[in-house]
């Protein structure tokens, strides 16, 4: 008899996101506690914890309406978030390259007029 290996936290998060992206629907916590174990193999005890971690990371939206909490995530939001992150990283990369180029030019200017004596200072 072999024991069934449980899912890692990241696997649970990925599978939970699949539920949202495949159905493109809005859910309550009790709905997710029914759907996730049946369709994706996420234990019912960990659904709330996984869902809250996704909300905390901004991957799933949550809203309290009346006495109920509703959760949703649509593929288009994830696409836009990735595009914004890519633009931010591209900007940072180009700024870093520009700074590197400026520093290299400063080094060249500083070397002008200096002579290498071959002696090292101890």
């Amino acid at each position: 008899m072999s024991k069934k290996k449980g899912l890692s936290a990241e696997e649970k998060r990925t599978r939970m996101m699949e539920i949202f992206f495949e159905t493109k629907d809005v859910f309550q916590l009790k709905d997710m506690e029914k759907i996730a174990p049946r369709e994706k193999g996420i234990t019912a005890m960990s659904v709330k914890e996984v869902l809250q971690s996704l909300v905390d990371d901004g991957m799933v939206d949550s809203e309290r309406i009346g006495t109920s909490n509703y959760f949703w995530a649509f593929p288009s939001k994830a696409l836009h978030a990735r595009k914004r992150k890519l633009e931010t990283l591209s900007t940072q990369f180009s700024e870093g390259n520009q700074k590197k180029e400026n520093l290299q030019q400063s080094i060249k200017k500083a070397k002008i007029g200096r002579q290498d004596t071959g002696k090292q200072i101890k």
Side-chain angles (χ1 to χ4, degrees), residues 9-70:
E10 195 56 41
E11 288 174 320
K12 290 177 185 177
R13 290 168 52 95
T14 303
R15 290 183 181 196
M16 180 90 53
M17 290 304 295
E18 288 174 3
I19 293 172
F20 285 111
F21 291 164
E22 289 169 1
T23 60
K24 298 178 184 138
D25 203 358
V26 177
F27 298 99
Q28 289 184 330
L29 178 60
K30 64 180 180 180
D31 297 332
M32 289 303 292
E33 287 174 338
K34 292 177 187 173
I35 294 169
R38 188 176 58 231
E39 291 185 13
K40 299 294 179 179
I42 302 170
T43 60
M45 300 296 288
S46 65
V47 169
K48 184 175 183 177
E49 176 186 321
V50 173
L51 193 54
Q52 188 59 49
S53 75
L54 290 170
V55 170
D56 293 343
D57 291 345
M59 297 173 71
V60 173
D61 292 314
S62 170
E63 188 70 40
R64 184 174 188 90
I65 302 173
T67 58
S68 303
N69 287 323
Y70 293 91

